[in-house]
């Protein structure tokens, strides 16, 4: 047993006697693809939610997406119409972080950019209750480093939902070096309340899922870049040849190419290994603003049905 493991076990034993903080009111910062999904599952689980974004139009789009996704759940008999009405009534919205002052827990799901996230914590923390816990939904950035930029690193944790949140079962939980055990237990209990299954990852670049998944996507972009196969050939090959439910380029569009590139850069910088260098073609698509589904265009053009490959 290493000293680190021994120290953690002692801390866990001590913390076991401490009460686990209760989470009744959740704040969500960032109302994009992930923020709307997180607000959706929290509200359906009976929690009061305040959803914020700097862009009012992102909040409007998120509310419309939630309504549509809940309608789909009603059609599939997963929820009742009255569950939808009750859940939507539990969601308040704001463009100002001061609205999160009474939250027990805030999960930040803003753009995958460390400076953006740090500036959010700087603006957010002075308005929070001293007991409030904060999580980042980051796909790749160090939880220890993000936590250190807050006034409460011991109450800071990585809570990494998968996309689309209402459908995907997994939540990765990542402790920063300072994260205390009551925070871990409270956020673990929240994940279970949301009907999720957790996997615990150590705080290394991109954690578990994206450490494995995003280099595979990057390799698919290299396969396209080098002319080994077309968009259709690559996605068909991986769907039918590896039994993946989506081809890697389709999946890249679904995640967002800016997010994929940001994750590759975190892996490249954080692990200093050239095998993680982002494919120049991925960089070019991001520079063009072809960010995938959310932008209407990426490796596929979504203005036509069925979507047409862009190469
Ligand atoms: P997105 O681009 O759909 O949404 C990001 C939102 O953050 C936008 O609405 C933007 O207006 C908002 N934002 C930007 N700056 C802000 C600020 N200062 N204050 C408040 N809001 C701000 O991105 P997304 O796909 O929802 O990703 C959000 C986070 O979730 C990222 O950290 C990403 O890595 C992570 N994540 C993404 C996926 C995925 O598949 N897309 C999966 C898991 C985790």
């Amino acid at each position: 047993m290493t000293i680190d493991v021994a120290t953690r076990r002692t801390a866990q034993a001590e913390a076991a006697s401490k009460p686990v903080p209760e989470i009744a009111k959740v704040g969500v910062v960032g109302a994009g693809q992930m923020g709307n999904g997180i607000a959706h599952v929290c509200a359906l689980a009976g929690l009061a939610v305040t959803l914020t974004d700097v862009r009012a139009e992102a909040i409007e789009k998120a509310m419309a997406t939630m309504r549509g996704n809940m309608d789909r759940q009603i059609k599939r008999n997963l929820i009742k119409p009255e569950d939808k009405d009750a859940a939507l009534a539990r969601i308040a919205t704001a463009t100002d972080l001061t609205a999160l002052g009474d939250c027990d827990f805030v999960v930040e799901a803003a753009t995958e950019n460390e400076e953006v996230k740090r500036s959010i914590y700087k603006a957010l923390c002075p308005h929070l209750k001293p007991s409030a816990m904060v999580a980042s939904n980051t796909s790749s950035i160090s939880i220890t480093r993000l936590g250190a930029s807050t006034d409460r690193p011991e109450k800071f944790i990585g809570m990494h939902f998968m996309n689309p949140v209402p459908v995907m079962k997994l939540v990765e939980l990542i402790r920063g070096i300072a994260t205390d055990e009551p925070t871990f237990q409270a956020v673990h209990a929240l994940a279970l309340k949301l009907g999720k299954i957790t996997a615990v990852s150590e705080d290394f670049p991109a954690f578990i899922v994206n450490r494995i998944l995003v280099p595979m996507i990057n390799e698919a972009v290299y396969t396209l870049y080098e002319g080994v196969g077309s968009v259709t050939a690559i996605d068909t090959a991986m769907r039918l040849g590896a039994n993946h439910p989506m081809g890697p380029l389709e999946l890249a569009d679904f995640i967002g190419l800016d997010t994929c590139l940001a994750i590759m850069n975190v892996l490249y910088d954080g692990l200093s290994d050239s095998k993680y260098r982002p494919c120049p073609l991925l960089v070019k698509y991001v520079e063009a603003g072809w960010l995938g589904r959310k932008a209407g265009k990426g490796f596929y053009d979504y203005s036509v049905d069925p979507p047409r490959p862009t190469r």
Side-chain angles (χ1 to χ4, degrees), residues 42-279:
C42 288
L44 272 180
L47 300 162
V49 178
T50 302
L51 176 62
T52 69
D53 200 290
V54 273
R55 295 183 304 122
E57 65 271 24
I59 295 173
E60 270 168 40
K61 193 174 165 198
M63 293 305 301
T65 302
M66 276 188 268
R67 278 185 218 107
N69 288 343
M70 286 187 199
D71 283 339
R72 203 168 308 134
Q73 288 180 304
I74 293 170
K75 273 198 202 117
R76 289 184 190 158
N77 286 325
L78 296 172
I79 63 169
K80 298 191 188 81
E82 54 269 32
D83 298 331
K84 172 190 167 190
D85 297 338
L88 292 174
R90 282 185 206 107
I91 303 174
T93 60
T95 49
D96 192 342
L97 294 173
T98 56
L100 302 178
D102 59 347
C103 291
D104 305 308
F105 174 68
V106 175
V107 51
E108 167 274 308
T111 311
E112 186 74 345
N113 175 311
E114 189 161 342
E115 282 319 304
V116 169
K117 292 183 187 296
R118 281 170 183 266
S119 70
I120 288 171
Y121 307 143
K122 197 171 171 205
L124 169 71
C125 287
H127 302 291
L128 295 178
K129 300 190 283 194
S131 60
M133 295 168 285
V134 179
S136 178
N137 184 49
T138 177
S139 302
S140 60
I141 303 169
S142 162
I143 298 303
T144 297
R145 214 161 56 229
L146 290 177
S149 75
T150 72
D151 61 356
R152 59 194 75 208
E154 71 290 349
K155 291 188 171 60
F156 190 91
I157 190 167
M159 186 179 199
H160 183 215
F161 290 87
M162 306 293 132
N163 185 18
V165 181
V167 177
M168 298 294 280
K169 277 280 178 203
L170 184 75
V171 169
E172 273 182 313
L173 295 179
I174 308 103
R175 295 177 175 94
I177 199 168
T179 308
D180 67 19
E181 201 53 25
T183 300
F184 178 84
Q185 293 301 338
V187 175
H188 182 249
L190 174 65
L192 298 185
K193 187 170 186 168
L194 301 179
K196 302 301 182 193
I197 293 166
T198 60
V200 175
S201 170
E202 289 297 322
D203 188 17
F204 282 98
F207 320 124
I208 296 172
V209 172
N210 287 325
R211 169 83 177 258
I212 299 168
L213 182 66
V214 181
M216 190 271 293
I217 288 173
N218 192 51
E219 198 59 30
V221 185
Y222 266 113
T223 309
L224 179 67
Y225 177 64
E226 291 171 7
V228 180
S230 64
V231 169
T232 307
I234 292 165
D235 278 349
T236 304
M238 291 306 285
R239 261 192 285 107
L240 304 184
N243 228 3
H244 288 192
M246 271 177 143
L249 300 173
E250 231 182 322
L251 180 58
D253 275 358
F254 188 67
I255 293 170
L257 302 192
D258 53 339
T259 301
C260 291
L261 177 60
I263 296 169
M264 285 312 296
N265 280 325
V266 168
L267 282 166
Y268 190 53
D269 296 342
L271 297 170
S272 302
D273 189 330
S274 64
K275 74 177 176 179
Y276 296 114
R277 69 204 181 282
C279 178

